[in-house]
Amino acid sequence: MKVSYVTMQFPAASEVFASNDVRWLAANGVEIRVHCLRPSLKNARQMIKERDLENIPVTSSSLARAFKGLGFATSRPGLFWSSLTWLAKRSKDWRQLVKGLLLLPRSFDILREIEREKPDVLHIYWGHYPSIVGWLVQRRLPQIVTSISFVAYDLDTQFGGSRDVAQGADMVRAVAAWNVARIEERFGVDGSQVEVIYNGVDLNRVDELTKGQEKVPGRIVVVARLVKEKGVFEAVEVLAKLRREHPHAHLHILGDGPARRELSSLVEAHGLGQHVKLFGHCDHDTVMQEIARAELLLLPSRAERLPNVVKEGMACNTVCITSPTFGIEELIEHGRTGFVIPWQDVDDMAVTASRVLASEFDVEAMTTAARQHIETAFALTPNCEKYVRRWKSALEQRRFRNNAHRTAKAGRFYQPELNG
């Protein structure tokens, strides 16, 4: 089976789970290519090596490709003008329209690549602007099975064109069961037709990376982009309170972002300069090892749905404290597999963290239950297998309909004489 992925960038620093999917599919008999609407990142080669993606063909946007796409579009004037009209009608505001128009030449360039590749399946990994490519393929190459994925960002963005693509797709994927009703409401897709496929954790890779790692007493880790919405400031406040009873407690913050300087100032204001380490951006292997060595993973974010880093923390047998966000109950059962505490309740987080460090909870029972839940619901292999099953089913249905159509067409031309 040949599958073409369309995404914004690949690989991307914050999208390890997309890399996991692609690597698993390629290792399990799927011939896969990835097409990106944006240029590649400066460290893309390094990430490709780190994530074992060297054998995956990837194309990214460039000025040359944009010109090729524009030339390809003008050679198909009917489709080109239809796409302009469609973007104008479906964009909910001028910003969406401008972004869509800027991405249209590259979208046509990807269509040109797909015409040449002739994949069995086109998968739209992000359900916003990559759906432009989905719309073009559904009209130009209707024989290709199409699927589209919706994450929280897509539901918030609500790019108008996604509705048409989703309604014409052979499969619609949600990354959380909580999202199904929202997809039904916002994109007009029957909820019974939506497949819940979680972003899966590569447990084999986690175990390989964390083998032999021991917990460092008092260590707390935060893995997040350094913006206020991710709760990194609250994490520092938690540590400040926690150190009154646990002077050995210390915080490792992995990630970078625009709030780094302000965060550093908060650390100094609390006199925590010797107890907080800001790592900046780290490769995923380092992240996994840091999580495995920590007693606690803290993510008091108000901008997550099913935080991927919490899944990884649970897989690493690290106690996780996160905040109540939409669908979080699918991941954590409060008090049994982790803790769900409002992000603004710093006092409660500090008390809970203190009790974990003091072993007032049965930490081993909690981390064992958390790991088992990840193995049952969020492991990479069973979730990727859902993709393959749905794609194969759609291909079989497509062949059945085509055969039925050919049989019916042949019957109209063959009318045997009746004797008697």
Side-chain angles (χ1 to χ4, degrees):
M1 180 166 57
K2 296 174 67 175
V3 178
S4 292
Y5 260 45
V6 178
T7 185
M8 296 302 292
Q9 282 180 323
F10 186 88
S14 61
E15 296 173 22
V16 174
F17 286 82
S19 298
N20 288 346
D21 286 356
V22 169
R23 186 176 62 249
W24 187 94
L25 291 167
N28 287 272
V30 176
E31 186 179 338
I32 189 163
R33 288 176 172 269
V34 181
H35 300 289
C36 310
L37 286 174
R38 289 178 177 168
S40 60
L41 295 170
K42 291 182 179 179
N43 62 338
R45 289 181 180 273
Q46 178 184 345
M47 285 191 290
I48 284 172
K49 184 177 181 180
E50 291 169 354
R51 300 178 187 182
D52 296 334
L53 300 169
E54 290 96 333
N55 295 325
I56 308 298
V58 179
T59 70
S60 297
S61 183
S62 66
L63 189 60
R65 286 191 173 276
F67 276 114
K68 284 183 180 179
L70 193 59
F72 185 76
T74 55
S75 70
R76 287 153 177 78
L79 184 62
F80 181 44
W81 288 112
S82 294
S83 67
L84 293 174
T85 303
W86 173 73
L87 280 173
K89 288 181 177 179
R90 293 295 184 262
S91 299
K92 69 177 182 180
D93 55 38
W94 67 268
R95 294 179 183 84
Q96 280 196 356
L97 177 58
V98 170
K99 288 181 181 178
L101 291 174
L102 290 173
L103 292 170
L104 193 59
R106 170 57 179 158
S107 298
F108 267 96
D109 183 52
I110 294 174
L111 176 64
R112 178 181 64 85
E113 295 275 359
I114 290 170
E115 279 195 4
R116 187 178 62 189
E117 293 166 9
K118 297 180 174 62
D120 301 299
V121 177
L122 175 77
H123 180 58
I124 309 300
Y125 189 81
W126 285 94
H128 50 285
Y129 296 106
S131 64
I132 297 172
V133 179
W135 186 86
L136 292 172
V137 169
Q138 285 177 343
R139 273 137 195 83
R140 179 72 181 176
L141 304 167
Q143 72 275 15
I144 294 177
V145 165
T146 56
S147 60
I148 186 169
S149 176
F150 288 108
V151 301
Y153 182 78
D154 302 319
L155 297 176
D156 294 338
T157 303
Q158 292 188 62
F159 174 59
S162 304
R163 185 181 183 93
D164 295 331
V165 177
Q167 292 181 1
D170 297 271
M171 183 187 81
V172 176
R173 176 241 185 170
V175 297
W178 190 90
N179 289 347
V180 173
R182 277 85 229 161
I183 292 171
E184 186 173 27
E185 172 191 349
R186 297 176 188 182
F187 300 106
V189 178
D190 186 341
S192 64
Q193 302 302 311
V194 179
E195 181 82 46
V196 177
I197 304 177
Y198 292 117
N199 285 330
V201 180
D202 189 343
L203 293 173
N204 291 332
R205 192 173 179 86
V206 167
D207 292 344
E208 180 183 340
L209 288 169
T210 61
K211 184 178 180 180
Q213 300 289 346
E214 295 184 0
K215 299 294 183 185
V216 178
R219 179 164 297 175
I220 303 169
V221 65
V222 173
V223 183
R225 178 168 162 75
L226 301 189
V227 293
K228 289 189 176 181
E229 292 78 9
K230 293 290 188 177
V232 288
F233 288 82
E234 286 76 16
V236 173
E237 298 286 354
V238 168
L239 180 69
K241 293 177 180 294
L242 188 61
R243 283 187 52 79
R244 297 169 189 171
E245 295 184 16
H246 300 276
H248 68 298
H250 56 285
L251 181 65
H252 284 188
I253 301 177
L254 284 69
D256 212 339
R260 179 168 183 147
R261 181 174 295 179
E262 187 179 354
L263 186 66
S264 297
S265 298
L266 179 65
V267 169
E268 294 302 324
H270 280 295
L272 296 172
Q274 300 299 313
H275 311 291
V276 177
K277 184 175 181 180
L278 297 174
F279 280 70
H281 171 73
C282 298
D283 63 78
H284 190 246
D285 290 2
T286 300
V287 170
M288 288 297 93
Q289 291 166 348
E290 283 292 323
I291 291 174
R293 285 192 286 262
E295 288 196 272
L296 269 168
L297 183 145
L298 188 57
L299 188 69
S301 171
R302 55 266 203 190
E304 308 285 341
R305 293 288 169 90
L306 293 183
N308 292 326
V309 70
V310 172
K311 298 174 191 173
E312 293 170 330
M314 295 167 72
C316 290
N317 296 303
T318 300
V319 176
C320 297
I321 301 177
T322 190
S323 300
T325 51
F326 298 125
I328 195 65
E329 65 279 358
E330 297 174 48
L331 180 58
I332 289 184
E333 182 180 342
H334 179 72
R336 193 181 81 85
T337 58
F339 299 98
V340 181
I341 301 172
W343 64 267
Q344 63 269 50
D345 198 342
V346 173
D347 288 337
D348 193 2
M349 281 188 281
V351 168
T352 302
S354 176
R355 294 182 67 189
V356 171
L357 296 184
S359 299
E360 293 182 23
F361 296 105
D362 190 340
V363 171
E364 184 177 355
M366 177 172 286
T367 56
T368 298
R371 169 72 186 214
Q372 289 174 346
H373 183 50
I374 296 299
E375 291 173 353
T376 300
F378 294 96
L380 179 64
T381 294
N383 280 287
C384 282
E385 286 175 343
K386 287 184 181 181
Y387 272 126
V388 176
R389 283 198 301 270
R390 284 299 299 264
W391 288 334
K392 286 183 176 179
S393 176
L395 285 168
E396 289 171 2
Q397 291 176 19
R398 185 70 59 87
R399 293 187 188 105
F400 177 81
R401 288 197 300 268
N402 289 342
N403 289 337
H405 176 72
R406 283 194 293 269
T407 300
K409 185 176 180 180
R412 289 198 297 270
F413 290 98
Y414 175 65
Q415 299 290 339
E417 293 183 5
L418 298 177
N419 295 322

